[in-house]
Amino acid sequence: MKVVFIGTGEIGVPCLNSLAESDEYEVVAVVTQPDRPAGRQMRLQTSPIKQAALKWHIRIYQPQKINEKTVVAQLRYLEADVFVVVAYGQILSQAILNLPKLGCLNVHASLLPKYRGASPIQAAIRAGERYSGITIMWMDEGLDTGDILCSQRLSIRSDETAETLHDRLAELAPKTLKEGLDLLQKGKAPRMKQKEKEAIYAKKIKKEEGWIDWKQEQVAVDRQIRAMIPWPGAYTWLKVGNQRKCLKIFKTILSNRCHGKPGEVVKVDKHGILVAAKKGGLLLREVQLEGKQRMAATDFVRGFSIPIGTILESP
């Protein structure tokens, strides 16, 4: 089976590697986003998918816009049986979707119709979902609206972050994709309509969504912190002398024995920094002050005094 792999994000790397090392499939080309300047020095950075494709010596295309006529012509020439799309970053036109002989499949990191869009992993954690998973979907011109071919699910752990869930879903994706491709090869691939009434859209995360509103209940704050790891991170303001500095929070433990104003530091001890929310509180276990290194909260308070009654502020 001849495959064109279309993707950019790191979550797609295990799928590409699995296809490339298999004797059942021939990855005839990879399409990924152009190299972009990144970092303080704005050096050109290649996508994780391009890096993987280079290791396998696979032909690489990096168009600015995949739907341009010249790109469509190039992809038509490959005469692929199937296109596999994972976290590419552009909507494919019907002209592209019509090219592969057997169809165009998308590997999506949620149990559709929850959560469509750019941030399904973060959305599932913030919503307190018990399960997430990988869905293999027949692509159409909509945003994650196509029919479902197959899916596999996994449980979301109580301490799950977007980073850990991303990695676990990336491991699950190749197995789910193989299930879908096997069904496709056998001519037994189903088309199950999504239930539109259950559909939820997860928009792209913005940096300001990392700011913590302590007027939320403790569970909501905890979910927000875990959903924002690794980017953009969860932040609060901490007064340092006459200045306010960002305090980034990485790990917390829920505490029901906490009474105070939202954002108030009610206790500092060998276990960490206890902060009140609207209801209950959170014990901060790992933090990073602006300009400093990430560290255990117990180490942080040894070198930085936080008086009881200090209010961690929202922007």
Side-chain angles (χ1 to χ4, degrees), residues 126 212-218 220-221 224 277-279:
R126 290 198 76 167
I212 298 170
D213 179 5
W214 295 100
K215 293 178 182 177
Q216 302 176 93
E217 294 193 3
Q218 57 171 182
V221 177
Q224 178 189 4
K278 177 182 178 181
K279 182 180 179 182

Side-chain angles (χ1 to χ4, degrees), residues 42-308:
M42 298 301 286
R43 293 178 179 173
L44 283 179
Q45 184 172 328
T46 60
S47 74
I49 293 298
K50 180 179 179 179
Q51 293 171 30
L54 288 170
K55 292 178 182 177
W56 290 105
H57 306 288
I58 301 171
R59 182 186 304 176
I60 300 170
Y61 295 102
Q62 293 182 271
Q64 290 288 344
K65 296 180 180 179
I66 194 172
N67 297 317
E68 290 180 346
K69 291 183 179 179
T70 54
V71 181
V72 175
Q74 287 175 320
L75 296 180
R76 181 183 293 113
Y77 175 77
L78 298 172
E79 297 184 336
D81 295 303
V82 63
F83 286 2
V84 172
V85 183
V86 191
Y88 175 55
Q90 292 185 35
I91 299 293
L92 306 190
S93 67
Q94 193 62 50
I96 294 285
L97 299 178
N98 290 339
L99 292 178
K101 298 172 186 176
L102 298 178
C104 200
L105 302 182
N106 178 252
V107 182
H108 188 72
S110 80
L111 297 173
L112 291 171
K114 294 179 179 181
Y115 289 86
R116 297 172 179 174
S119 59
I121 295 173
Q122 295 91 335
I125 292 175
R126 290 198 76 167
E129 296 286 356
R130 293 179 59 194
Y131 300 99
S132 183
I134 294 292
T135 300
I136 308 300
M137 173 190 65
W138 296 94
M139 293 188 71
D140 59 20
E141 286 190 284
L143 183 59
D144 303 325
T145 56
D147 295 343
I148 294 170
L149 194 164
C150 64
S151 64
Q152 292 187 22
R153 76 176 189 176
L154 52 73
S155 298
I156 297 178
R157 298 166 180 163
S158 61
D159 62 347
E160 198 88 68
T161 67
E163 184 173 39
T164 60
L165 184 54
H166 170 282
D167 293 348
R168 293 174 65 216
L169 289 172
E171 291 179 8
L172 179 64
K175 301 173 187 176
T176 318
L177 177 60
K178 186 179 187 309
E179 178 187 342
L181 290 174
D182 286 349
L183 290 168
L184 193 62
Q185 280 185 309
K186 295 173 183 176
K188 297 180 180 180
R191 286 180 174 269
M192 296 173 279
K193 295 289 183 184
Q194 293 191 41
K195 297 178 181 179
E196 287 297 321
K197 291 181 180 180
E198 298 178 8
I200 298 176
Y201 175 68
K203 66 183 188 308
K204 186 176 181 180
I205 296 292
K206 296 180 180 179
K207 188 173 182 179
E208 54 265 30
E209 290 182 61
W211 288 108
I212 298 170
D213 179 5
W214 295 100
K215 293 178 182 177
Q216 302 176 93
E217 294 193 3
Q218 57 171 182
V219 172
V221 177
D222 176 64
R223 290 173 181 169
Q224 178 189 4
I225 291 169
R226 291 187 287 110
M228 295 300 113
I229 294 172
W231 192 91
Y235 302 85
T236 189
W237 285 120
L238 174 64
K239 268 196 172 183
V240 181
N242 295 324
Q243 295 182 321
R244 289 199 310 170
K245 290 193 174 184
C246 279
L247 183 69
K248 196 171 185 179
I249 301 171
F250 292 93
K251 290 184 180 179
T252 64
I253 297 176
L254 295 174
S255 173
N256 293 321
R257 297 179 181 180
C258 182
H259 303 283
K261 300 175 183 177
E264 182 181 359
V265 175
V266 298
K267 192 175 183 180
V268 178
D269 60 17
K270 62 181 181 180
H271 301 293
I273 306 165
L274 186 59
V275 182
K278 177 182 178 181
K279 182 180 179 182
L282 292 102
L283 181 67
L284 310 190
R285 297 282 290 163
E286 193 170 332
V287 298
Q288 181 179 12
L289 187 64
E290 183 180 339
K292 303 293 183 181
Q293 292 184 339
R294 176 175 171 173
M295 64 182 70
T298 51
D299 294 333
F300 176 74
V301 296
R302 287 193 189 102
F304 189 92
S305 176
I306 302 181
I308 303 301

